[in-house]
Amino acid sequence: MSTAPIYLDYNATTPVDPAVLDAMLPFLRGEFGNPSSAHGLGSHAHDAVEAARAEVAALIGAAPDEIVFTSGGTEASNIAIRGAVRIDDSRRAVVTSTIEHPATEACCAFLEGEGHKVARVVARTDGLIDAARIAAAISNKTALATIIHAQNEIGTIQPLREIAAAARRHGALVHVDAAQSVGKIAVNVKELGADLLSIAGHKLYAPKGVGVLYIRRGIALPPLLLGAGQERGRRPGTENVPYIVALGEACRIAGAMVERESKRLSTLAGDLFAALKREISGIILVGHPTQRLPNTLNILFPNASGRKVLEKCSRVIASTGSACHADSEEPSAILTALGIAHDQALGAVRLSLGRGTTKEDVSDAAADLAAAWRSILAAPAVAAE
């Protein structure tokens, strides 16, 4: 068995694809122009930004003029959520869920502090959000329904088409946090019914610090920042040309391989969970068994802390959803929101696979995780001796 680390934290961040790095490097060297400048260097930069915009649009079934570049998914979601409630003064309410990413939940909490009404719909125990519950929470005062497409911890893919249809019947806009889904599965804004959609570049093999907000044509979304007229005034500030070029290339690559890679990762993830079930009696998969990202497993180790399991692993690099404070450990708020008991939720480990994951990695990771779990269960007996 190799001793090299096995990276299974692709939902946290991805490495920059070599082709993406090659695409961006010229714009960190000789092609350093400002896209707003009228001279040749500026024109080259402008053209590169627009080419990247077209690649992003093509990946999600949008038009290029519906793509706004941001510093990442968090900024994109802030612009969408905080802007949507300012479009119509008669609509100042928001509907969301109890299993959103902090970028969404923090925005909703901020709006509550400003006097807006926020309704949080409880997800089902399998991690799905019921469209009927969303519809019941919406009124003629609702500006926006903001829902995560694929939950970042458990991988459950939400029925966005049904949720969007329910929101639209009440005249509410729909914002989709697609940071975890774009690049992993096919995403089409029209099929989803999205009015607004957030993308984070570092989740699909582009660098950290670049993202996108899709704004459906015809929506006059107020900007969060004020300045010059870049991005048609929707996100002012000199464009981060190298990173925008990188994101465009990452989207081009993703579009060419998403179907094939999705099938490969689904097979590997299935093999990984099957191997863990053979080794660990009572291990549990969190979330819907089929409506989930192909690369994501959130598993509960029985009678052991997931954090301690990973600490005992010699090779596996992965995440838990728990928060550690001094001598205490708290479980993921997402898991407890699904009704998972406190002690059981502490056993969670998220294993997320990516382009670098191989069959050998899966086999070795299962062995490493199982050995770590067994060593934790054996520890009290050793101490008693």
Side-chain angles (χ1 to χ4, degrees):
M1 182 185 292
S2 169
T3 58
I6 302 170
Y7 185 73
L8 296 179
D9 206 16
Y10 284 87
N11 282 14
T13 196
T14 56
V16 176
D17 187 285
V20 169
L21 180 61
D22 288 343
M24 70 184 289
L25 279 177
F27 297 92
L28 288 167
R29 293 173 173 159
E31 296 289 349
F32 56 84
N34 185 324
S36 298
S37 298
H39 49 62
L41 277 178
S43 295
H44 294 166
H46 175 271
D47 292 347
V49 167
E50 295 311 309
R53 198 185 309 278
E55 294 289 3
V56 176
L59 181 62
I60 63 171
D65 65 352
E66 296 174 312
I67 300 300
V68 176
F69 289 111
T70 69
S71 64
T74 293
E75 185 191 355
S77 292
N78 269 260
I79 295 171
I81 297 167
R82 295 167 64 182
V85 298
R86 295 164 54 203
I87 293 175
D88 182 348
D89 287 341
S90 70
R91 291 179 175 268
R92 293 173 56 80
V94 174
V95 173
T96 187
S97 84
T98 55
I99 57 169
E100 296 299 313
H101 187 276
T104 292
E105 172 52 32
C107 282
C108 291
F110 173 81
L111 291 176
E112 281 182 311
E114 290 196 327
H116 298 271
K117 181 180 178 181
V118 176
R120 294 174 177 83
V121 173
V122 177
R124 296 178 355 187
T125 55
D126 62 2
L128 287 181
I129 302 165
D130 194 326
R133 293 182 183 179
I134 295 289
I138 296 175
S139 73
N140 60 2
K141 300 293 185 182
T142 303
L144 180 74
T146 175
I147 300 293
I148 197 166
H149 188 198
Q151 214 292 321
N152 50 294
E153 289 189 32
I154 64 175
T156 304
I157 299 172
Q158 303 302 336
L160 257 300
R161 185 183 303 179
E162 293 82 1
I163 289 172
R168 191 149 289 115
R169 285 195 296 271
H170 294 273
L173 296 178
V174 176
H175 167 246
V176 177
D177 172 3
Q180 285 294 350
S181 57
V182 170
K184 295 185 178 78
I185 58 174
V187 174
N188 184 290
V189 290
K190 295 180 179 63
E191 292 179 2
L192 290 178
D195 299 298
L196 306 159
L197 182 140
S198 302
I199 298 173
H202 75 104
K203 306 293 188 181
L204 66 152
Y205 303 89
K208 301 166 187 66
V210 64
V212 158
L213 176 61
Y214 158 79
I215 304 175
R216 181 173 57 80
R217 192 178 290 166
I219 296 176
L221 193 70
L224 188 63
L225 303 175
L226 300 177
Q230 294 91 348
E231 298 300 289
R232 300 189 176 190
R234 297 172 296 187
R235 199 276 186 176
T238 302
E239 296 91 343
N240 186 352
V241 179
Y243 282 43
I244 288 171
V245 169
L247 181 53
E249 178 66 5
C251 288
R252 185 194 66 78
I253 293 169
M257 66 186 303
V258 64
E259 183 177 354
R260 179 179 70 254
E261 183 66 359
S262 176
K263 291 178 181 177
R264 186 185 77 90
L265 291 178
S266 180
T267 298
L268 288 178
D271 291 346
L272 176 55
F273 186 56
L276 289 169
K277 284 198 295 184
R278 287 193 296 269
E279 296 289 335
I280 302 172
S281 177
I283 198 167
I284 295 171
L285 177 66
V286 181
H288 197 279
T290 58
Q291 290 180 227
R292 59 187 307 110
L293 288 175
N295 77 316
T296 305
L297 299 171
N298 190 303
I299 53 178
L300 303 179
F301 285 87
N303 306 311
S305 158
R307 175 178 61 85
K308 291 180 180 178
V309 169
L310 290 180
E311 287 175 354
K312 290 280 187 180
C313 280
S314 60
R315 298 181 60 195
V316 175
I317 300 172
S319 291
T320 71
S322 62
C324 303
H325 307 282
D327 295 328
S328 67
E329 186 178 359
E330 292 298 323
S332 159
I334 298 299
L335 299 191
T336 56
L338 298 179
I340 298 173
H342 179 281
D343 290 348
Q344 190 179 33
L346 286 176
V349 170
R350 182 186 68 184
L351 305 170
S352 49
L353 290 63
R355 292 179 192 166
T357 308
T358 65
K359 290 182 180 180
E360 292 74 21
D361 288 337
V362 164
S363 176
D364 292 352
D368 195 18
L369 288 161
W373 175 75
R374 284 192 290 266
S375 72
I376 291 171
L377 295 194
V382 173
E385 294 174 359

